[in-house]
Amino acid sequence: RGASHRVARSVAAARPGPPAAMATPKANKMLQLINYRMRVTLQDSRVLVGKFMAFDKHMNIVLGDCEEYRRIVPKGKKEELEERRVLGLTLIRGENVVSLSVEGPPPKDDTRVKAVEKGDAGPGAAAAAGRGVPPAAPGMAAPGLAGPARGVGGPSASQMAPRPAVSAGPVSYGAPPPGMPPPGMPPGG
C-alpha cells in the first residue's frame, strides 16, 4: 500500500493544472481555482467559459470575459451547430450549475501590472477628484458628523445653554383694594 500511495501522490503533484487538495474543505478548493479559466455547464446544456472571479455559499459564480456556447439544430437539418456569444462579466445562479471544470490555468502575468511597472500607465496622475466632504480641522468633527443639520432635530444650541440666575427682590403691589383684607389675613376678619 505504501509504495502505490507514494506513486499516486507524486503523479498528482507532477500533473499540471489546479493544485490537488486531498482533505481541504470545498470552499478552500474553490479558492484555489480563482483566476483560472473555467468551463461551467448549466442545466439547459449551455456551456459558459470565462475567468473564475468569485463564488459564494450558494455556489453562485462570477465569470469575467465570459463566452456562451450552445448547440442548436437548425430546422430541416440533421447536423448540430455550435453558436458562440460573448457575454463579458457574468453572474451565474448556483442553482443552474451542473458542472465546473478547469479550462486553463490563470494568466502568468497581468498586463496592467506590467504597464504600471514600466511607466506606460497612460496620461494623468492618480489623485482625488475633489468630490465629497472636505477634511475637518484637527480636533473638530467632520462637517457632516458634527450633529444634525441646522433647523433639524430640536432646539438650537443657544436655547439649550444654561441661563444666568436672576435674583430680584420681592415685588410690592401697594395697598389692597377697599373691602379686601391685607395679604396673609383670612377673609372676613
Side-chain angles (χ1 to χ4, degrees):
R1 175 187 170 203
S4 64
H5 182 67
R6 272 183 269 144
V7 171
R9 185 183 298 169
S10 65
V11 169
R15 191 178 334 149
M22 296 287 276
T24 55
K26 190 191 316 185
N28 194 10
K29 289 178 187 177
M30 296 295 289
L31 280 171
Q32 292 174 353
L33 296 173
I34 295 288
N35 291 331
Y36 275 72
R37 191 116 178 109
M38 300 297 283
R39 175 181 295 268
V40 180
T41 306
L42 303 180
Q43 285 179 343
D44 60 359
S45 75
R46 285 183 294 167
V47 175
L48 302 175
V49 178
K51 180 180 175 184
F52 183 46
M53 300 179 80
F55 68 98
D56 65 4
K57 66 181 180 180
H58 304 292
M59 213 48 192
N60 297 324
I61 296 173
V62 177
L63 292 180
D65 300 327
C66 184
E67 297 173 345
E68 174 193 52
Y69 296 93
R70 59 185 197 143
R71 298 199 175 274
I72 55 170
V73 180
K75 292 182 180 176
K77 294 186 180 178
K78 295 192 179 194
E79 71 220 26
E80 257 185 3
L81 295 175
E82 187 173 73
E83 194 175 85
R84 176 181 167 264
R85 185 167 70 148
V86 176
L87 301 178
L89 187 65
T90 307
L91 172 65
I92 305 157
R93 186 175 172 89
E95 195 174 63
N96 298 327
V97 175
V98 173
S99 73
L100 184 65
S101 59
V102 175
E103 182 82 6
K108 298 223 186 300
D109 60 334
D110 191 5
T111 54
R112 228 169 89 194
V113 172
K114 279 181 123 181
V116 170
E117 288 171 356
K118 278 195 220 173
D120 298 339
R131 295 183 290 271
V133 178
M140 299 284 293
L145 304 174
R150 186 171 170 206
V152 174
S156 68
S158 63
Q159 290 176 328
M160 293 300 292
R163 296 194 179 154
V166 177
S167 61
V171 178
S172 171
Y173 294 106
M180 295 285 293
M185 298 289 291

